[in-house]
Structures are given as C-alpha cells and as structure tokens.
Amino acid sequence: MPALEGMSFDHVLLTTRAVRKRLDLHRSVEMEVLRECFELAQQAPTQSDTQGFHFIVVTDRAQREALGDLFRRGHAIYKSLPDGVYGLKHSELKQEATRLRIMNSLEYLADHMHEVPVHVVPCIVGSTAGKPPAGISALMGSVIPAAWSFMLAARSRGLGTCWTNLHLLLAEEADEVLGLPVGVMQVALIPTAYTIGLEFQPAHRRPLDEILHQDRW
Ligand SMILES: Cc1cc2nc3c(=O)[nH]c(=O)nc-3n(C[C@H](O)[C@H](O)[C@H](O)COP(=O)(O)O)c2cc1C
C-alpha cells in the first residue's frame, strides 16, 4: 500500500500525533503494510553503520495482554511520580488544559493497550549502562531515528502510533515477556492501529525562537 495520496511529506511531519483514543481497536493491520513501514525505517542512520536496531511486532493476543498488563502497572507507578504529567501542574491555563487532556488520553490507553491490534517494540543491541554521554547518544541515536521513521511511514498509510515507555518501569519482566536476548535493550512500546479518521492537526509548540539558538545557547 503506497502512502496516502495528497499527504505531503510536510503534512505527515506536521500531523504525526501521539494517537491513543483514535486507534481503531476493531480493524486489523495487514503485515504487508507494516513491512513497508519497516523497510522505510531501515534507511535510518546508525553509528558507524552498525544497523543494530531490531523491531519486535507483537500481534499475538496473549503477548499483547502481557504487555498491556505491564503498561497498566507502569502507568500506576508513573501516576505517583512527581515529575510526570500527573505531578507537574501548570499555572498557565492552556498548558494545564493540555496536561489534563493528556492524562485523560493516557488513562484510556492504559485501559485499552491490550486491545490495540499491533504493538511495535524497537530494540537496540547494546546497553546504556555505564556509558559516557557520547556512548548513550550513539546507542539511542542508532534506534530512535528508525523508530520515528516507522511512525511517520505508518501515519502516511493511515496508521496511528504513540511512543510509550511506561512498561519499562518493569523492564526485567518486559524483557522476559519478549524473550529478549542478553545484551539487547528495548526502548519503547508503540501501539499501532488504523486511525479513526485521517484528520490530525499540528500541535501547539513553543515559539521557534525560544528553542532555537544561534552559535551559543
Ligand atoms: C520519550 C517519550 C515518552 C513517552 N511516553 C508516553 C507514554 O508512556 N504513554 C503515552 O501515552 N504517551 C507517551 N508519550 C507521548 C507524549 O505524551 C506526546 O508525544 C506528547 O504529549 C505530545 O503529543 P503529540 O506527540 O501528539 O504532539 C511519550 C513521548 C516521548 C517522546
């Protein structure tokens, strides 16, 4: 299935949202479509062309239930953390409204994760443990671009995704569920499904000049 007609590359970049409530839980996703997305994602850069990233595509019901359970338990832990979305109240009204919307949407995903037809788990051969900043940058930089490319390719084919990592609050159990070999690290759990409707809007972001620095921070 080629990218949807009329969706320009810029439109895909502008509208690839964290989709939770608009994941169609009742429509299955064809493996051929996913494979196209992964073939595109494989073009992402990796340090020294190591190509150490892997994707685990989880469609088995029992596996999704196990990951959904970990996500729900991770979410319960996350709710008590002071620096997460539940702990960080904003005084500015618009920001606070966004926070409340994310919390509501996150609760929904925690309740329904196991029903999402596909879970995608990007992994990388290696570990961040004990690494200096350059090593962490090289390792994470060798998997996150590929995972994001997958998410963009998915969006351009009418699929929605959401980068999540709360199941990693129980990382050892998550590794066991997925049969991860020693020396391989999983970095996210990306629920993937067709979206209910194709229209998504660009999100509110800070003014560019607040985050763009010339020559020095
Ligand atoms: C590192 C990272 C971790 C995230 N973890 C979660 C998560 O565990 N659960 C979730 O529902 N969304 C998660 N998100 C999605 C963010 O909440 C979302 O990207 C943010 O609210 C902005 O929304 P937008 O991407 O639609 O603009 C995560 C995003 C990133 C980049």
Side-chain angles (χ1 to χ4, degrees), residues 24-42:
D24 190 338
L25 305 178
H26 305 290
R27 181 172 169 193
S28 54
V29 180
E30 306 82 355
M31 189 51 87
E32 310 85 77
V33 177
L34 292 169
R35 288 186 70 90
E36 279 178 13
C37 299
F38 291 123
E39 270 183 12
L40 292 166
Q42 275 195 294

Side-chain angles (χ1 to χ4, degrees), residues 16-18 20 71 102 106 109 162-166 203 205:
T16 301
R17 298 268 70 78
R20 304 181 188 92
F71 186 76
I102 294 171
L106 192 49
L109 187 60
C162 181
W163 184 284
T164 82
N165 54 13
L166 297 181
R205 293 292 188 247

Side-chain angles (χ1 to χ4, degrees), residues 19-209:
V19 186
R20 304 181 188 92
K21 289 185 172 177
R22 287 176 59 193
L23 295 169
D24 190 338
L25 305 178
H26 305 290
R27 181 172 169 193
S28 54
V29 180
E30 306 82 355
M31 189 51 87
E32 310 85 77
V33 177
L34 292 169
R35 288 186 70 90
E36 279 178 13
C37 299
F38 291 123
E39 270 183 12
L40 292 166
Q42 275 195 294
Q43 295 296 322
T46 54
Q47 189 200 26
S48 307
D49 200 24
T50 38
Q51 301 184 30
F53 59 79
H54 292 243
F55 290 103
I56 305 178
V57 183
V58 180
T59 55
D60 176 75
R61 177 186 290 267
Q63 284 290 79
R64 284 184 288 129
E65 277 172 7
L67 290 176
D69 181 56
L70 288 173
F71 186 76
R72 216 170 14 254
R73 286 162 54 207
H75 176 242
I77 297 168
Y78 177 68
K79 279 174 97 162
S80 66
L81 302 180
D83 54 349
V85 75
Y86 290 90
L88 288 173
K89 292 198 175 58
H90 298 292
S91 51
E92 207 269 304
L93 281 182
K94 206 166 172 185
Q95 262 187 314
E96 181 62 4
T98 303
R99 188 182 77 93
L100 295 176
R101 219 176 32 250
I102 294 171
M103 275 161 44
N104 182 274
S105 175
L106 192 49
E107 295 278 351
Y108 174 88
L109 187 60
D111 288 343
H112 294 277
M113 182 64 104
H114 61 291
E115 297 169 59
V116 181
V118 180
H119 294 176
V120 172
V121 180
C123 303
I124 181 77
V125 176
S127 162
T128 51
K131 279 207 161 66
I136 295 172
S137 165
L139 194 70
M140 301 312 282
S142 295
V143 57
I144 292 173
W148 181 239
S149 289
F150 163 75
M151 292 165 80
L152 295 173
R155 163 67 178 142
S156 82
R157 284 158 176 76
L159 296 165
T161 58
C162 181
W163 184 284
T164 82
N165 54 13
L166 297 181
H167 75 303
L168 290 178
L169 290 169
L170 301 138
E172 275 180 29
E173 279 185 68
D175 287 356
E176 199 172 314
V177 165
L178 294 167
L180 232 62
V182 175
V184 177
M185 195 176 111
Q186 44 175 321
V187 301
L189 167 57
I190 305 176
T192 304
Y194 280 103
T195 54
I196 300 169
L198 287 173
E199 283 300 310
F200 289 85
Q201 300 302 319
H204 173 73
R205 293 292 188 247
R206 290 191 275 167
L208 183 59
D209 286 331

